[in-house]
């Protein structure tokens, strides 16, 4: 399964077992919790522990803070993605149950990717993981939406991951030799490019604006990570602010007043 399978998807709350059936015997509809914003990885970056979910705006204009939802509490219910509506499914209680510290967790999606020696490889756009254990098997690296469409992306095995430094995902130098796949040029037999310089060129020529919001958000997130620990809530605020969602909601509020 991939993290992109969840991003932007509506997620619902499963009614308590005693309230799942109406008096007429029909199943009760689950209530909407929000939309999945982005995946949350464990402190070592090698497993998905949950998702940040953006609740609906109050009265259509007041933003509510994202909520952390544990991965193991998410399942299919009545044909939709839903979460068991119990204390241990959310936020601090979920973290305690899972034995993790949210303040040391990390968000790879959108973060710049750099080798140990400093070669820039674009950014992390996705991750493949085991839905039962959360273990990550690979990360998808790209130079941007248009560059990916033309040149393809890199599927980097998790073993290349070294850690985090200065606002970026740090990977083994050998990751720069991995081949691109899936792009239009590659399908036409015209691409033999590696992820390094050619991906950056493709991003510059064909995708100057395509991933700006995501990349700005990831840089702001990285800066917060680099400054201090214990600021998980600040990471979310910085990501939204840099990507423009916070300013948009602010402007929306002003227009409504």
């Amino acid at each position: 399964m991939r993290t992109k399978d969840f991003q932007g998807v509506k997620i619902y709350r499963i009614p308590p077992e005693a309230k799942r059936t109406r008096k007429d015997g029909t199943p009760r509809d689950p209530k909407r919790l929000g939309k999945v914003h982005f995946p949350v990885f464990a402190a070592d970056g090698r497993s998905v522990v949950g998702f940040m979910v953006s609740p609906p705006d109050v009265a259509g204009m007041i933003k509510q803070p994202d909520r952390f939802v544990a991965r193991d509490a998410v399942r299919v219910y009545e044909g939709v993605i839903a979460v068991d509506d119990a204390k241990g499914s959310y936020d601090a209680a979920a973290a305690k149950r899972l034995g993790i510290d949210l303040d040391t967790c990390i968000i790879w999606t959108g973060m710049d990717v750099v080798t140990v020696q400093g070669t820039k490889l674009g950014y992390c756009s996705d991750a493949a993981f085991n839905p039962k254990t959360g273990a990550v098997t690979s990360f998808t690296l790209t130079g941007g939406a248009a560059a990916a469409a033309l040149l393809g992306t890199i599927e980097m095995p998790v073993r290349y991951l070294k850690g985090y430094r200065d606002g970026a995902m740090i990977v083994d130098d050998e990751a720069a030799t991995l081949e691109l796949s899936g792009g239009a040029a590659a399908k036409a037999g015209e691409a033999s490019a590696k992820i390094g310089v050619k991906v950056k060129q493709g991003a510059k020529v064909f995708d100057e604006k395509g991933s700006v919001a995501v990349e700005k958000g990831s840089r702001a997130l990285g800066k917060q990570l680099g400054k201090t620990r214990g600021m998980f809530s600040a990471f979310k605020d910085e990501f939204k602010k840099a990507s423009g969602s916070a300013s948009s909601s602010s402007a929306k509020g002003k227009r409504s007043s």
Side-chain angles (χ1 to χ4, degrees), residues 4-12 34-37 53 81:
K4 275 192 174 181
D5 294 336
F6 290 90
Q7 285 182 276
V9 171
K10 292 179 181 178
I11 189 167
Y12 297 79
K35 285 185 178 181
V36 176
H37 195 180
V53 174
I81 301 298

Side-chain angles (χ1 to χ4, degrees), residues 143-208:
L150 180 72
L151 301 174
T153 58
I154 287 291
E155 201 65 23
M156 183 189 77
V158 69
R159 68 176 182 274
Y160 287 92
L161 176 65
K162 292 298 182 181
Y164 167 88
R165 185 181 68 213
D166 299 332
M169 172 191 280
I170 304 302
V171 301
D172 192 283
D173 292 327
E174 289 187 14
T177 68
L178 295 173
E179 294 187 0
L180 291 154
S181 64
K187 290 178 181 178
E190 300 172 0
S192 60
K194 306 296 182 180
I195 190 169
V197 176
K198 290 196 176 182
V199 166
K200 298 304 290 185
Q201 290 176 337
K204 182 177 180 181
V205 175
F206 298 104
D207 192 34
E208 293 182 348

Side-chain angles (χ1 to χ4, degrees), residues 47-62:
S47 64
V48 176
V49 293
F51 305 92
M52 296 310 299
V53 174
S54 300
D57 295 352
V58 176
M61 62 180 132
I62 302 174

Side-chain angles (χ1 to χ4, degrees), residues 210-221:
S211 60
V212 170
V214 173
E215 292 188 270
K216 286 174 66 180
S218 69
R219 291 194 184 100
L221 177 68

Side-chain angles (χ1 to χ4, degrees), residues 15 19-30 77-79:
K19 298 181 179 180
R20 291 179 188 175
T21 306
R22 298 188 181 92
K23 291 182 179 180
D24 62 2
T26 58
R28 194 180 299 276
D29 294 333
Y77 175 79
E78 294 298 322

